[in-house]
C-alpha cells in the first residue's frame, strides 16, 4: 500500500544539479516519483514532485523531512506535504504577525520613540530564541513605553510594511474559499487596520493600555503567548469546520512553536534556528507567498 505526498522545493534559483540530487535523495529514501512540475516567477523558482510512499513512511513524515533538510543545498528548501492537505476543499492559514506577516517587530518601532530600541530589540531576540518567558518579556518591553503619547501608535502604524508577497498570499487563499487568520504577540492598535484591509477572517493581538492620551506601559487582559496561539488555531479551525490536518501555520519565533506543531503543516519563515529545527518546513527567503506553493493554493 502507498500514500501520496508532494515534495515542494523552492529557492531564488534552483540549479539542475540541486534538483537531480533531490530526486536521488527521494528515491534513496523509498519514495517513487509520480509527477513533476515547475512554476514560480522572476523572484523565485518552484519545483513540485508528486510522490508515492509506503504507508508506514506517510504516517510520520519527519524522517523524510530530516533527510531532505540534511541533504539540502544553501539556496533550496523542500517541504513534504500530504496530498490530503494540498487537495482539501477548505483550509485554514494562520500566521504570526511581527517578522512574518509584516517585516518589522512593532514593539521595537514603538521603543524607538522612547529611545530604547536597542534595549528592547535585545530582549525580543532572546524571547524569540526561547531563552525568556514570552509574557514576562512582553511586560518588561511594554513598560519602557510608559508616558509615550498615544499618537505614537499612528506614527508606528505608518512605518509598518507587509512582508513581500503577504497581500498576494492572503488574496489567493481568500479567492480559493479558504480561511485566513493571524494571531500576534504584538498589538491590536497596529494590527486592526491591517487585518481589516486584508479582509482576514480571524485575528487577535494584545491591547496596549492608553489612559489620558498616553501609553501606560501595560497591556490589558491575557497576553497572547505561545499557548494562546495554539488555542486560537484550534478554536478558529473548529469555528470554520476545518480539521487541524488541513491547517497551515506560519511563524518565526519560539512563541509560535506550539501553533506550528499543532497545525497540519508548520512553516518556519526566516525563523530562529530553534524554530527551523523542529518545523515541518522552512522558507529562507523574503517571499511569504511561497506558502501558496506549499499549500497547493
Amino acid at each position: 500500500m502507498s500514500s501520496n505526498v508532494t515534495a515542494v522545493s523552492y529557492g531564488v534559483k534552483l540549479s539542475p544539479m540541486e534538483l537531480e540530487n533531490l530526486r536521488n535523495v527521494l528515491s534513496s529514501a523509498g519514495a517513487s516519483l509520480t509527477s513533476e512540475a515547475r512554476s514560480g516567477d522572476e523572484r523565485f523558482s518552484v519545483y513540485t514532485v508528486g510522490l508515492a510512499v509506503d504507508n508506514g513512511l506517510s504516517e510520520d513524515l519527519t524522517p523524510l523531512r530530516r533527510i531532505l533538510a540534511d541533504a539540502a543545498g544553501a539556496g533550496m528548501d523542500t517541504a513534504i506535504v500530504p496530498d490530503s492537505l494540498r487537495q482539501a476543499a477548505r483550509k485554514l492559514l494562520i500566521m504570526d504577525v511581527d517578522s512574518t506577516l509584516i517585516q518589522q517587530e512593532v514593539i521595537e518601532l514603538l521603543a524607538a520613540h522612547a529611545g530604547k530600541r536597542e534595549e528592547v530589540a535585545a530582549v525580543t531576540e532572546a524571547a524569540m530564541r526561547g531563552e525568556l518567558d514570552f509574557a514576562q518579556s512582553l511586560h518588561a518591553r511594554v513598560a519602557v513605553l510608559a508616558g509615550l503619547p498615544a499618537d505614537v501608535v499612528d506614527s508606528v502604524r505608518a512605518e509598518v510594511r507587509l512582508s513581500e508577497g503577504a497581500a498576494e498570499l492572503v488574496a489567493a487563499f481568500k479567492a480559493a474559499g479558504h480561511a485566513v487568520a493571524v494571531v500576534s504577540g504584538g498589538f491590536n492598535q497596529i494590527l486592526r487596520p491591517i487585518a481589516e484591509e486584508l479582509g482576514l477572517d480571524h485575528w487577535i493581538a494584545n491591547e496596549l493600555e492608553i489612559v489620558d492620551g498616553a501609553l501606560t506601559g501595560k497591556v490589558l487582559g491575557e497576553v497572547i503567548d505561545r499557548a494562546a496561539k495554539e488555542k486560537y488555531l484550534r478554536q478558529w479551525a473548529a469555528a470554520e469546520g476545518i480539521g487541524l490536518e488541513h491547517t497551515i501555520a506560519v511563524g518565526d519565533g519560539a512563541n509560535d512553536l506550539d501553533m506550528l506543531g499543532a497545525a497540519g503543516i508548520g512553516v518556519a519563515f526566516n525563523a530562529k534556528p530553534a524554530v527551523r529545527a523542529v518545523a515541518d518546513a522552512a522558507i529562507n527567503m523574503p517571499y511569504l507567498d511561497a506558502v501558496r506553493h506549499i499549500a497547493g493554493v
Side-chain angles (χ1 to χ4, degrees), residues 162-177:
L162 292 175
S163 291
E164 293 188 57
E168 292 81 358
L169 172 64
V170 172
F173 265 76
K174 295 288 292 177

Side-chain angles (χ1 to χ4, degrees), residues 187-204:
F187 308 106
N188 279 326
Q189 287 92 337
I190 303 297
L191 179 56
R192 183 176 294 109
I194 297 173
E196 291 173 351
E197 182 177 346
L198 291 175
L200 301 181
D201 297 284
H202 306 277
W203 59 274
I204 194 167

Side-chain angles (χ1 to χ4, degrees), residues 230 233-234 244 249 256-267 278-280:
E230 180 188 355
L233 161 64
R234 293 179 180 277
L244 283 177
D256 299 314
L257 284 173
D258 291 358
M259 176 178 75
L260 298 182
I265 188 165
V267 181
V278 298
D280 298 318

Side-chain angles (χ1 to χ4, degrees), residues 40-56:
D41 54 32
E42 69 280 357
R43 299 168 302 148
F44 62 91
S45 300
V46 181
Y47 178 63
T48 304
V49 181
L51 303 172
V53 299
D54 181 85
N55 279 343

Side-chain angles (χ1 to χ4, degrees), residues 71-85:
M76 181 176 83
D77 290 295
T78 299
I80 300 294
V81 192
D83 284 354
S84 57
L85 188 157

Side-chain angles (χ1 to χ4, degrees), residues 211-226:
V211 176
D212 295 331
L215 303 184
T216 66
K218 299 177 182 179
V219 292
L220 298 171
E222 184 181 356
V223 168
I224 304 299
D225 59 6
R226 177 170 169 169

Side-chain angles (χ1 to χ4, degrees), residues 55-271:
N55 279 343
L57 182 59
S58 70
E59 289 174 5
D60 181 8
L61 294 172
T62 302
L64 180 57
R65 286 167 172 159
R66 292 291 168 254
I67 290 170
L68 288 171
D70 291 341
M76 181 176 83
D77 290 295
T78 299
I80 300 294
V81 192
D83 284 354
S84 57
L85 188 157
R86 286 174 55 85
Q87 297 168 4
R90 288 200 78 226
K91 308 167 191 176
L92 168 65
L93 170 65
I94 184 168
M95 296 178 284
D96 173 43
V97 175
D98 292 31
S99 296
T100 299
L101 181 71
I102 66 173
Q103 297 179 27
Q104 305 102 322
E105 292 283 336
V106 166
I107 187 67
E108 295 174 15
L109 299 180
L110 289 165
H113 290 266
K116 298 290 183 69
R117 181 166 189 158
E118 290 186 6
E119 173 187 326
V120 165
V123 176
T124 298
E125 279 293 309
M128 292 303 98
R129 290 193 300 265
E131 297 169 4
L132 300 174
D133 175 78
F134 181 81
Q136 291 178 351
S137 71
L138 179 69
H139 289 305
R141 287 174 288 162
V142 172
V144 308
L145 308 178
L148 285 177
D151 60 11
V152 74
V153 170
D154 298 323
S155 300
V156 166
R157 192 182 296 129
E159 297 176 51
V160 168
R161 296 291 178 268
L162 292 175
S163 291
E164 293 188 57
E168 292 81 358
L169 172 64
V170 172
F173 265 76
K174 295 288 292 177
H178 305 305
V180 183
V182 298
V183 57
S184 175
F187 308 106
N188 279 326
Q189 287 92 337
I190 303 297
L191 179 56
R192 183 176 294 109
I194 297 173
E196 291 173 351
E197 182 177 346
L198 291 175
L200 301 181
D201 297 284
H202 306 277
W203 59 274
I204 194 167
N206 297 301
E207 185 81 15
L208 288 167
E209 184 180 57
I210 297 174
V211 176
D212 295 331
L215 303 184
T216 66
K218 299 177 182 179
V219 292
L220 298 171
E222 184 181 356
V223 168
I224 304 299
D225 59 6
R226 177 170 169 169
K229 289 189 173 191
E230 180 188 355
K231 180 186 78 172
Y232 283 107
L233 161 64
R234 293 179 180 277
Q235 180 177 309
W236 293 335
E240 294 287 345
I242 297 171
L244 283 177
E245 69 275 14
H246 296 156
T247 62
I248 304 100
V250 188
D252 73 300
N255 64 327
D256 299 314
L257 284 173
D258 291 358
M259 176 178 75
L260 298 182
I265 188 165
V267 181
F269 181 68
N270 295 313

